[in-house]
Every structure is written in structure tokens, then in C-alpha cells.
Coordinates of all heavy atoms in Angstrom, one line a residue:
N246 N -3.3 0.5 23.7 CA -3.1 1.9 23.5 C -3.8 2.8 24.5 O -3.3 3.9 24.9 CB -3.4 2.2 22.0 CG -2.4 1.9 21.1 OD1 -1.2 2.1 21.3 ND2 -2.7 1.3 19.9
L247 N -5.0 2.4 24.8 CA -5.7 3.2 25.8 C -5.0 3.2 27.2 O -5.0 4.3 27.8 CB -7.2 2.7 26.0 CG -8.2 3.0 24.9 CD1 -9.5 2.2 25.1 CD2 -8.4 4.5 24.9
I248 N -4.5 2.1 27.6 CA -3.7 2.1 28.8 C -2.5 3.0 28.7 O -2.2 3.7 29.7 CB -3.3 0.6 29.1 CG1 -4.5 -0.2 29.5 CG2 -2.3 0.6 30.3 CD1 -4.2 -1.7 29.7
I249 N -1.8 2.9 27.6 CA -0.6 3.7 27.4 C -1.0 5.2 27.5 O -0.3 6.0 28.1 CB 0.1 3.4 26.1 CG1 0.7 2.0 26.1 CG2 1.1 4.4 25.7 CD1 1.2 1.5 24.9
H250 N -2.1 5.5 26.8 CA -2.5 7.0 26.8 C -3.0 7.4 28.2 O -2.8 8.6 28.6 CB -3.5 7.2 25.7 CG -3.0 7.3 24.4 ND1 -2.2 8.3 23.9 CD2 -3.0 6.4 23.3 CE1 -1.8 8.1 22.7 NE2 -2.3 7.0 22.3
E251 N -3.6 6.5 28.9 CA -4.0 6.9 30.3 C -2.8 7.2 31.1 O -2.8 8.2 31.9 CB -4.8 5.7 31.0 CG -6.2 5.6 30.5 CD -7.0 6.8 30.9 OE1 -6.9 7.3 32.0 OE2 -7.8 7.3 30.0
A252 N -1.7 6.5 31.0 CA -0.4 6.8 31.7 C 0.2 8.1 31.2 O 0.7 8.8 32.0 CB 0.5 5.6 31.5
L253 N 0.2 8.3 29.9 CA 0.7 9.5 29.3 C 0.0 10.7 29.8 O 0.7 11.8 30.0 CB 0.7 9.5 27.8 CG 1.7 8.5 27.1 CD1 1.4 8.4 25.6 CD2 3.1 8.9 27.4
R254 N -1.3 10.6 30.1 CA -2.0 11.8 30.7 C -1.4 12.2 32.0 O -1.5 13.4 32.4 CB -3.5 11.4 30.9 CG -4.3 11.2 29.7 CD -5.7 10.9 30.2 NE -6.5 10.2 29.2 CZ -7.3 10.8 28.3 NH1 -7.3 12.2 28.3 NH2 -8.0 10.2 27.4
M255 N -0.9 11.3 32.7 CA -0.3 11.5 34.0 C 1.1 12.1 34.0 O 1.6 12.5 35.0 CB -0.4 10.3 34.9 CG -1.8 9.6 35.0 SD -1.7 8.0 35.7 CE -3.1 7.2 35.0
Q256 N 1.7 12.0 32.8 CA 3.1 12.5 32.7 C 3.1 14.0 32.6 O 2.2 14.6 32.0 CB 3.8 11.8 31.5 CG 3.9 10.3 31.6 CD 4.8 9.8 32.7 OE1 5.9 10.3 32.9 NE2 4.3 8.8 33.4
P257 N 4.1 14.7 33.2 CA 4.2 16.1 33.0 C 4.4 16.5 31.5 O 5.2 15.8 30.8 CB 5.4 16.5 33.9 CG 6.2 15.3 34.0 CD 5.2 14.2 34.0
A258 N 3.8 17.5 31.0 CA 3.9 17.9 29.6 C 5.1 18.7 29.4 O 5.0 20.0 29.6 CB 2.6 18.6 29.2
T259 N 6.2 18.1 29.1 CA 7.5 18.9 28.9 C 7.9 18.8 27.5 O 7.9 17.7 26.9 CB 8.6 18.3 29.8 OG1 8.7 16.9 29.5 CG2 8.3 18.5 31.2
P260 N 8.1 19.9 26.8 CA 8.5 19.9 25.4 C 9.9 19.3 25.3 O 10.8 19.6 26.0 CB 8.6 21.4 25.0 CG 8.8 22.1 26.3 CD 8.1 21.3 27.4
V261 N 10.0 18.3 24.4 CA 11.2 17.6 24.1 C 11.5 17.6 22.6 O 10.5 17.6 21.8 CB 11.2 16.2 24.6 CG1 11.1 16.2 26.1 CG2 10.1 15.4 24.0
S262 N 12.7 17.6 22.2 CA 13.1 17.4 20.8 C 13.2 16.0 20.5 O 13.8 15.2 21.3 CB 14.4 18.1 20.5 OG 15.4 17.6 21.3
R263 N 12.5 15.5 19.5 CA 12.5 14.1 19.1 C 13.8 13.7 18.4 O 14.1 14.3 17.4 CB 11.3 13.7 18.3 CG 11.0 12.3 18.2 CD 9.6 12.0 17.7 NE 9.6 12.4 16.3 CZ 8.4 12.6 15.6 NH1 7.3 12.5 16.3 NH2 8.4 12.9 14.3
P264 N 14.5 12.7 18.8 CA 15.7 12.3 18.1 C 15.4 11.8 16.7 O 14.2 11.3 16.5 CB 16.3 11.2 19.0 CG 15.6 11.3 20.3 CD 14.3 11.9 20.0
T265 N 16.3 11.8 15.8 CA 16.1 11.2 14.5 C 16.0 9.7 14.6 O 16.5 9.1 15.5 CB 17.3 11.6 13.6 OG1 18.4 11.0 14.1 CG2 17.4 13.1 13.5
S266 N 15.4 9.2 13.6 CA 15.3 7.7 13.6 C 16.6 7.0 13.5 O 16.9 6.0 14.1 CB 14.4 7.2 12.4 OG 14.9 7.7 11.2
A267 N 17.6 7.7 12.8 CA 18.9 7.1 12.7 C 19.6 7.1 14.1 O 20.2 6.1 14.4 CB 19.8 8.0 11.7
A268 N 19.4 8.2 14.9 CA 20.0 8.2 16.2 C 19.3 7.1 17.1 O 20.0 6.5 17.9 CB 19.7 9.6 16.9
V269 N 18.0 6.9 16.9 CA 17.4 5.8 17.7 C 17.9 4.5 17.3 O 18.2 3.7 18.2 CB 15.8 5.9 17.5 CG1 15.2 4.7 18.1 CG2 15.2 7.2 18.1
R270 N 18.1 4.2 16.1 CA 18.6 2.9 15.6 C 20.0 2.7 16.2 O 20.3 1.6 16.6 CB 18.6 2.8 14.1 CG 17.2 2.7 13.5 CD 17.3 2.2 12.0 NE 18.0 3.2 11.2 CZ 17.5 4.2 10.6 NH1 16.2 4.4 10.7 NH2 18.2 5.1 9.8
I271 N 20.8 3.7 16.1 CA 22.2 3.6 16.6 C 22.2 3.3 18.1 O 22.9 2.4 18.6 CB 23.0 4.8 16.3 CG1 23.3 4.9 14.8 CG2 24.4 4.9 17.1 CD1 23.9 6.3 14.3
T272 N 21.4 4.0 18.8 CA 21.3 3.9 20.3 C 20.8 2.5 20.6 O 21.3 1.8 21.5 CB 20.4 5.0 20.9 OG1 20.9 6.2 20.6 CG2 20.3 4.8 22.4
M273 N 19.8 2.0 19.9 CA 19.3 0.7 20.2 C 20.3 -0.4 19.9 O 20.4 -1.4 20.7 CB 18.0 0.4 19.4 CG 16.8 1.3 19.8 SD 16.4 1.2 21.5 CE 17.1 2.8 22.1
S274 N 21.0 -0.2 18.9 CA 22.1 -1.2 18.5 C 23.2 -1.2 19.6 O 23.7 -2.2 20.0 CB 22.7 -0.8 17.2 OG 21.8 -0.9 16.1
F275 N 23.5 0.0 20.1 CA 24.5 0.2 21.2 C 24.0 -0.5 22.4 O 24.7 -1.3 23.1 CB 24.8 1.6 21.4 CG 25.5 1.8 22.8 CD1 26.7 1.4 23.1 CD2 24.7 2.5 23.8 CE1 27.3 1.6 24.3 CE2 25.3 2.6 25.1 CZ 26.6 2.2 25.3
M276 N 22.7 -0.2 22.8 CA 22.2 -0.8 24.1 C 22.1 -2.3 24.0 O 22.4 -3.0 25.0 CB 20.8 -0.2 24.4 CG 20.8 1.3 24.6 SD 21.9 1.8 26.0 CE 21.0 1.0 27.4
E277 N 21.7 -2.8 22.8 CA 21.6 -4.2 22.6 C 23.0 -4.9 22.7 O 23.1 -6.0 23.3 CB 20.9 -4.6 21.3 CG 20.7 -6.1 21.1 CD 19.8 -6.4 19.9 OE1 19.5 -5.4 19.2 OE2 19.5 -7.5 19.7
L278 N 24.0 -4.3 22.1 CA 25.3 -4.8 22.2 C 25.9 -4.8 23.6 O 26.5 -5.7 24.0 CB 26.2 -4.0 21.2 CG 27.6 -4.5 20.9 CD1 27.5 -5.9 20.3 CD2 28.3 -3.5 20.0
L279 N 25.6 -3.7 24.3 CA 26.0 -3.6 25.7 C 25.3 -4.7 26.5 O 26.1 -5.4 27.3 CB 25.5 -2.2 26.3 CG 25.8 -2.0 27.8 CD1 27.3 -2.0 28.1 CD2 25.2 -0.6 28.2
E280 N 24.1 -5.0 26.4 CA 23.4 -6.0 27.2 C 23.8 -7.4 26.8 O 23.8 -8.3 27.7 CB 21.9 -5.9 27.0 CG 21.3 -4.7 27.8 CD 21.6 -4.8 29.3 OE1 21.7 -5.9 29.8 OE2 21.7 -3.7 29.9
K281 N 24.3 -7.6 25.6 CA 24.7 -8.9 25.2 C 26.0 -9.4 25.9 O 26.3 -10.5 25.9 CB 24.9 -8.9 23.6 CG 23.7 -9.1 22.8 CD 24.0 -9.2 21.3 CE 22.7 -9.4 20.5 NZ 23.0 -9.4 19.1
Q282 N 26.7 -8.4 26.5 CA 27.9 -8.8 27.2 C 27.5 -9.4 28.6 O 28.4 -9.9 29.3 CB 28.8 -7.6 27.4 CG 29.3 -7.1 26.1 CD 30.7 -6.4 26.3 OE1 31.8 -7.0 26.2 NE2 30.6 -5.1 26.7
F283 N 26.3 -9.3 29.0 CA 25.9 -9.7 30.4 C 24.7 -10.7 30.2 O 24.0 -10.8 29.2 CB 25.4 -8.5 31.1 CG 26.4 -7.4 31.2 CD1 26.4 -6.3 30.4 CD2 27.4 -7.4 32.2 CE1 27.4 -5.4 30.4 CE2 28.4 -6.5 32.3 CZ 28.4 -5.4 31.4
P284 N 24.5 -11.5 31.3 CA 25.3 -11.5 32.5 C 26.6 -12.2 32.4 O 26.8 -13.0 31.5 CB 24.4 -12.4 33.5 CG 23.7 -13.3 32.5 CD 23.4 -12.5 31.3
V285 N 27.6 -11.9 33.3 CA 28.8 -12.6 33.3 C 28.7 -13.9 34.1 O 28.2 -13.8 35.3 CB 29.9 -11.7 34.0 CG1 31.2 -12.4 34.1 CG2 30.1 -10.4 33.2
I286 N 28.9 -15.0 33.5 CA 28.5 -16.3 34.1 C 29.7 -17.1 34.7 O 29.5 -18.1 35.3 CB 27.7 -17.1 33.2 CG1 28.5 -17.5 31.9 CG2 26.4 -16.5 32.8 CD1 27.8 -18.4 30.9
A287 N 30.9 -16.6 34.4 CA 32.1 -17.3 34.9 C 33.3 -16.4 35.0 O 33.4 -15.4 34.2 CB 32.5 -18.5 33.9
P288 N 34.2 -16.6 36.0 CA 35.3 -15.7 36.1 C 36.2 -15.6 34.9 O 36.8 -14.6 34.7 CB 36.0 -16.3 37.3 CG 35.0 -17.1 38.1 CD 34.1 -17.6 37.0
S289 N 36.2 -16.7 34.1 CA 37.0 -16.7 32.9 C 36.4 -15.9 31.7 O 37.1 -15.7 30.7 CB 37.2 -18.1 32.4 OG 36.0 -18.8 32.2
Q290 N 35.2 -15.4 31.9 CA 34.5 -14.7 30.8 C 34.7 -13.2 31.0 O 34.1 -12.6 31.8 CB 33.0 -15.0 30.9 CG 32.2 -14.1 29.9 CD 30.7 -14.2 30.1 OE1 30.2 -15.0 30.9 NE2 30.0 -13.2 29.6

């Protein structure tokens, strides 16, 4: 956590709106589903 916070100190402080936990869950499910299609290992796939 100290390493993470050291890096966060170096990030520009820009106000952002935090997505809802439901939006995060949906996005993670989408990204995981997207990645599960790869890599393409055969022309027939």
C-alpha cells in the first residue's frame, strides 16, 4: 500500500466521478468476456 500511495502522489490530482459498484462489476464482466475470446490459436477458431 505504501508503494501504491507513493505512485499516487505522483499522479495529477484531477477530480473524477467514481462509477457505481454495479457499473464496475458490469465492466469487469464485459472485459473478462472480451479477453476470453483471445488469443485466437487456429484459423478455424
Side-chain angles (χ1 to χ4, degrees):
N246 276 317
L247 282 172
I248 291 172
I249 290 171
H250 283 290
E251 283 298 314
L253 288 173
R254 290 180 199 273
M255 306 169 203
Q256 301 292 316
T259 54
V261 294
S262 59
R263 193 167 71 199
T265 65
S266 58
V269 171
R270 286 195 300 271
I271 290 171
T272 302
M273 293 308 101
S274 295
F275 160 71
M276 296 301 295
E277 185 172 2
L278 192 58
L279 176 63
E280 285 301 329
K281 280 183 177 178
Q282 294 207 94
F283 303 96
V285 176
I286 60 175
S289 59
Q290 175 193 343

